[in-house]
Amino acid sequence: MSHIIPPGSTLGILGSGQLGRMFTRAARRMGYRVHVFSPEHDSPTGQVADAEVVAAYDDLDAVRAFARGVSVVTFEFENVPAPTAAACAECAPVRPAGSILHLTQNRLREKTFLANAGLPVAPFHPAHSLADLTEGLQRLGLPAVLKTAAFGYDGKGQLLITNYNEAEAAIKSLNHSDGLLETFIDFDREASVVAARGLDGSFAHYGVIENLHRHHILDVSLAPALIPPRLAAEAVDMARCVLEKLDVVGVLCVEFFLTRDGQCLINELAPRPHNSGHLTIEACVTSQFEQQVRAVCGLPLGSTEYLRAAAMANLLGDLWSDGEPDWAAACALPDVKLHLYGKREPRPGRKMGHLTALGATVEDAQQKVLTARAG
Ligand SMILES: Nc1ncnc2c1ncn2[C@@H]1O[C@H](COP(=O)(O)OP(=O)(O)O)[C@@H](O)[C@H]1O
Ligand SMILES: [Mg+2]
């Protein structure tokens, strides 16, 4: 196994948010050093990394110098520009490959890939102009959701269209960026499958996690999801198919809509650990972050077995509206774990941290985590 990047080596990560922070903590526990690259200083990842390189993603000399100093480059920020990933690849292996980042950075490319792979997605139509949008609305019907093709997250850049005469205003709201129109899915639930693929093609997954959103932002995740085993098996098979078709080395999350008539539709992909998988830190033998470390270093993947049922609740900046929340109250329940990401400014909608509760059942864990968050 000469391909292994052994503990003691230095790993590089592009992007410096909470996903990088939790990746870094997993890597350092295993004896790796971690260097992080992003435009931000004193970032959530930089605070816990061995070195924080602060430079613009398009400063390709700085990018190459960074990549030369590490054994492998991975990422946590999805919108790393393609030339940045390519510059890294000149100096070190990039895992997952930059081509996967490129694909998932654009909803139209991503959906086209999924549809061509025979995987079920909501009906969609490109919407770059008013003419496209009008055609799309005629084809898909109402209601429909208009999304910016690139740079959307946490529901930003999305618009629900319920009336044909909203088309003109909707296209203006895109501000000349490319758009994608999708059928609005009146789903029963939302769910995700976080999965990993090793350098040798091995596959591991965390089953189906149920996700509850508020204002298009993930609010609570529950695992294992209480859904029929057939549906869970189908979702996992789809995730396996995505990781294999993309030849992923690393972690990738598939987000699903579970429809009222018992179908799984793929909503979107994230080629990295996912907010819904944060509960694997406490609930599973191997967390999604350790799995990312193992995969990108060519190590065998770890067991994804759940030790207990778990629930995760996000802590958004809104919770700070009356000052710092009462963390002692949140910690008062012995099965609840507090994670804060080291972000200074608690803006509304900003992910500042999360709580995970373990329980005998998913309902029990959910109740604990909500009690803890309510303070
Ligand atoms: N076609 C759709 N039908 C119904 N709800 C949708 C649709 N697309 C998105 N949503 C809702 O908005 C949330 C965020 O949308 P998503 O496409 O996942 O974008 P992002 O997470 O990148 O902001 C979804 O989790 C879902 O709750
Ligand atoms: Mg999403």
Side-chain angles (χ1 to χ4, degrees):
M1 294 272 278
S2 58
H3 295 311
I4 279 181
I5 296 167
S9 310
T10 302
L11 315 182
I13 185 157
L14 301 173
S16 60
Q18 61 270 19
L19 300 176
R21 182 180 177 98
M22 291 181 270
F23 167 85
T24 300
R25 293 185 50 220
R28 291 191 59 156
R29 197 197 68 223
M30 294 173 74
Y32 290 101
R33 291 171 179 271
V34 179
H35 292 182
V36 59
F37 184 105
S38 88
E40 264 128 76
H41 175 70
D42 190 32
S43 60
T45 309
Q47 291 165 15
V48 299
D50 294 272
E52 179 178 56
V53 176
V54 181
Y57 288 117
D58 59 7
D59 181 350
L60 298 185
D61 290 333
V63 170
R64 284 189 199 93
F66 172 78
R68 275 194 292 270
V70 300
S71 297
V72 62
V73 174
T74 189
F75 47 80
E76 66 104 62
F77 175 58
E78 263 175 279
N79 289 316
V80 168
T84 308
C88 286
E90 292 168 20
C91 313
V94 177
R95 294 176 185 153
S99 55
I100 300 173
L101 255 186
H102 181 70
L103 181 90
T104 58
Q105 277 170 358
N106 181 287
R107 293 184 199 275
L108 191 57
R109 275 200 291 271
E110 181 177 280
K111 283 246 154 71
T112 304
F113 156 77
L114 292 167
N116 288 344
L119 293 163
V121 292
F124 65 97
H125 195 92
H128 308 326
S129 65
L130 183 58
D132 293 340
L133 179 60
T134 308
E135 188 184 299
L137 287 171
Q138 264 149 19
R139 217 190 100 216
L140 305 184
L142 291 171
V145 184
L146 181 65
K147 302 181 177 181
T148 52
F151 300 115
Y153 71 99
D154 289 345
K156 289 187 181 35
Q158 288 193 26
L159 200 71
L160 181 67
I161 303 180
T162 54
N163 192 310
Y164 290 102
N165 57 31
E166 289 164 23
E168 199 167 344
I171 207 77
K172 281 213 177 99
S173 76
L174 289 184
N175 238 328
H176 303 291
S177 45
D178 285 352
L180 173 83
L181 187 72
E182 261 177 42
T183 299
F184 174 81
I185 306 296
D186 181 24
F187 52 75
D188 176 37
R189 300 163 193 230
E190 288 190 88
S192 54
V193 173
V194 175
R197 193 161 168 276
L199 202 52
D200 59 357
S202 54
F203 177 79
H205 66 86
Y206 293 91
V208 179
I209 300 172
E210 179 169 354
N211 298 321
L212 313 174
H213 290 80
R214 279 195 70 200
H215 310 303
H216 300 279
I217 306 177
L218 183 65
D219 184 41
V220 169
S221 290
L222 308 169
L226 302 173
I227 62 167
R230 176 197 63 81
L231 208 55
E234 228 172 82
V236 168
D237 280 347
M238 286 184 205
R240 187 196 312 263
C241 175
V242 169
L243 273 85
E244 276 172 9
K245 279 226 151 58
L246 291 178
D247 199 17
V248 170
V249 176
V251 171
L252 182 142
C253 175
V254 183
E255 294 182 14
F256 293 95
F257 297 135
L258 306 182
T259 65
R260 292 180 195 279
D261 56 355
Q263 306 212 45
C264 298
L265 296 179
I266 297 185
N267 170 30
E268 63 168 351
L269 309 179
R272 47 160 176 81
H274 190 260
N275 196 166
S276 63
H278 291 356
L279 51 74
T280 61
I281 293 176
E282 286 89 7
C284 296
V285 173
T286 310
S287 75
Q288 62 169 352
F289 300 102
E290 178 176 340
Q291 212 71 285
Q292 185 185 13
V293 174
R294 285 172 176 250
V296 305
C297 291
L299 293 172
L301 300 178
S303 162
T304 54
E305 187 191 339
Y306 280 84
L307 303 171
R308 310 267 297 272
M312 185 274 330
N314 270 332
L315 302 172
L316 300 185
D318 313 59
L319 276 175
W320 274 249
S321 57
D322 297 325
E324 194 75 16
D326 181 356
W327 300 128
C331 296
L333 289 159
D335 293 333
V336 173
K337 296 290 190 176
L338 171 65
H339 296 250
L340 290 171
Y341 307 145
K343 298 182 185 179
R344 290 247 161 70
E345 255 183 84
R347 292 191 293 274
R350 189 174 198 207
K351 290 173 179 169
M352 302 297 291
H354 72 268
L355 297 170
T356 300
L358 302 179
T361 62
V362 170
E363 292 88 346
D364 174 37
Q366 182 176 12
Q367 199 211 328
K368 281 181 194 158
V369 88
L370 294 178
T371 305
R373 187 170 65 178

